[in-house]
Every structure is written in structure tokens, then in C-alpha cells.
Amino acid sequence: MTLEAFIQARLTLEPVPGVPEVRLHRAGPRSGLMRLAEADPDFGSPYWARPWGGGLALARYVLDRPDVVAGKRVLDLGAGSGLVAIAAALAGAGEVRAVDVDSYAVAAARLNAAANGVTMEVAQTDLLDGDPPDAELMLVGDLFYDPALAARVELFLRRCLAAGIAVLIGDPWRAPLPADRLRVVAEYPVADFGDPNGATRAAAVFELEG
């Protein structure tokens, strides 16, 4: 069975809690993700199989404020399941690109985009050490969960900001987030499935300022 067929067969396609406009293939207790992990030593953490708090908040904000993305070239950095990119496409973005370093995330994002009837480019790549991309708006959902990664992400986003790219970040106030250097523009209660207990918590949308 191919990865795409596995996701379609074992991860239920259903509306996202708090963002029902978007449907995702989401893992459940009987999805059998351990089969993928056992078959591939590079499987890693299946963060792409569940929506995380920062992505939920950012997707909700984009759908509530379509003017933020309307007609713009938008890039979803660390897209995971593609939730935020899909929300941007549904909200009227002119062009949407979703990137992630994980091949499983890329496969899931492509399937989820098709399931929601949106067109977007999905690519497996690491942009963090390169030049700013061709975009007008950078969307970043829940990439500040690890201190080392958070430092790389912030440096890259500041290069993007200096190049004239606006930056919006969704995050449930995780410890590595540089909150003192960000401006809160919205806040939402979310069911953060990135946490083991799936607890509901506050997540915010932040604007990166120079």
C-alpha cells in the first residue's frame, strides 16, 4: 500500500475542530501509524497527522480575516497537514505554496488540498538557511516548539521581513516562542492535539515586527 493510499484508508477525513470549513485526514486511536513507523526508520514524529494549536489559531484567523490573504502570494512554512495553507486558499489568496521538510507531511498536505478542492503548490524543502522566497505573506503555524528550531525560524523570518514579506505566526505560547518580540493580533481557545492529553488552551496569532 502506498503512503497516499494508507492515509486515505486509515486517517479519517473530517472537519477540523474550531475550523470546520477545512477537512483533514486525521489520525485516530486505530489509524495504525505504528505500521508506518515500523516500516520506515526515518518516519519521525507524525505531527502532520493531527492539527496543532498554533495552526488551528492561524487558520481560524485567516478565514475570519480573508482580507489578510486576499490576492496575495502566500507561503505556509512548516505546513504539516496543510491546514493553514488550505485556509489561505479558501480565503482567496492569489497563490499558495506549502513547504515542509517531512515527506509524510507533503503527501498528507497534497491529499488534504485535493479533499478541500483547493489548488496549492506543495514541496518538500528546508528554506530556513536560504534567501527569502518569492512571497508577500509568510504564515507560520506552531514552529516554535523546540529551542534550536525556534532560533533558526526567527532568523529566517527576520530576513523575510527585511525583504518586505509580512509574517504571521500562530502559537499556543510555547516556551521557545520569542513572544516579547511579537505583537498579538488575535487569540483563540483551541484543542491542541500536539499535546499528549489534547488539552484545550489559548493560542494566539502574532505579527512579527521589525
Side-chain angles (χ1 to χ4, degrees), residues 101-174:
V101 298
D102 189 305
S103 61
Y104 289 89
V106 167
R110 286 177 176 151
L111 289 173
N112 289 328
N116 286 274
V118 301
T119 299
M120 63 189 203
E121 178 187 350
V122 184
Q124 181 183 0
T125 185
D126 184 347
L127 300 178
L128 297 185
D129 295 324
D131 295 329
D134 179 20
E136 295 172 281
L137 174 63
M138 187 78 62
L139 300 175
V140 187
D142 233 316
L143 273 187
F144 291 88
Y145 56 87
D146 173 81
L149 176 61
R152 289 185 67 210
V153 170
E154 185 180 4
L155 286 173
F156 173 70
L157 293 180
R158 293 211 168 274
R159 293 201 302 276
C160 291
L161 190 67
I165 303 170
V167 177
L168 289 175
I169 297 166
D171 197 277
W173 302 92
R174 301 197 195 281

Side-chain angles (χ1 to χ4, degrees), residues 3-177:
L3 172 58
E4 290 78 7
F6 182 95
I7 292 173
Q8 289 177 312
R10 304 302 299 272
L11 276 68
T12 305
L13 181 64
E14 54 191 0
V16 176
V19 193
E21 299 94 327
V22 178
R23 297 185 303 157
L24 297 179
H25 288 280
R26 295 167 52 210
R30 299 182 181 179
S31 294
L33 288 178
M34 284 302 297
R35 295 184 185 181
L36 292 179
E38 291 168 357
D40 184 356
D42 297 323
F43 178 70
S45 176
Y47 59 86
W48 49 269
R50 298 178 180 86
W52 284 35
L56 289 166
L58 190 52
R60 183 71 269 157
Y61 180 76
V62 165
L63 288 165
D64 288 347
R65 294 282 310 277
D67 57 295
V68 170
V69 299
K72 294 181 180 177
R73 299 188 311 280
V74 175
L75 191 147
D76 180 6
L77 181 68
S81 65
L83 169 60
V84 176
I86 292 166
L90 290 173
E95 178 182 300
V96 180
R97 185 181 180 204
V99 302
D100 202 288
V101 298
D102 189 305
S103 61
Y104 289 89
V106 167
R110 286 177 176 151
L111 289 173
N112 289 328
N116 286 274
V118 301
T119 299
M120 63 189 203
E121 178 187 350
V122 184
Q124 181 183 0
T125 185
D126 184 347
L127 300 178
L128 297 185
D129 295 324
D131 295 329
D134 179 20
E136 295 172 281
L137 174 63
M138 187 78 62
L139 300 175
V140 187
D142 233 316
L143 273 187
F144 291 88
Y145 56 87
D146 173 81
L149 176 61
R152 289 185 67 210
V153 170
E154 185 180 4
L155 286 173
F156 173 70
L157 293 180
R158 293 211 168 274
R159 293 201 302 276
C160 291
L161 190 67
I165 303 170
V167 177
L168 289 175
I169 297 166
D171 197 277
W173 302 92
R174 301 197 195 281
L177 180 76

Side-chain angles (χ1 to χ4, degrees), residues 183-205:
R183 182 175 71 89
V184 176
V185 296
E187 196 162 16
Y188 303 90
V190 298
D192 184 12
F193 294 105
D195 285 346
N197 61 1
T200 298
R201 62 192 300 179
V205 176

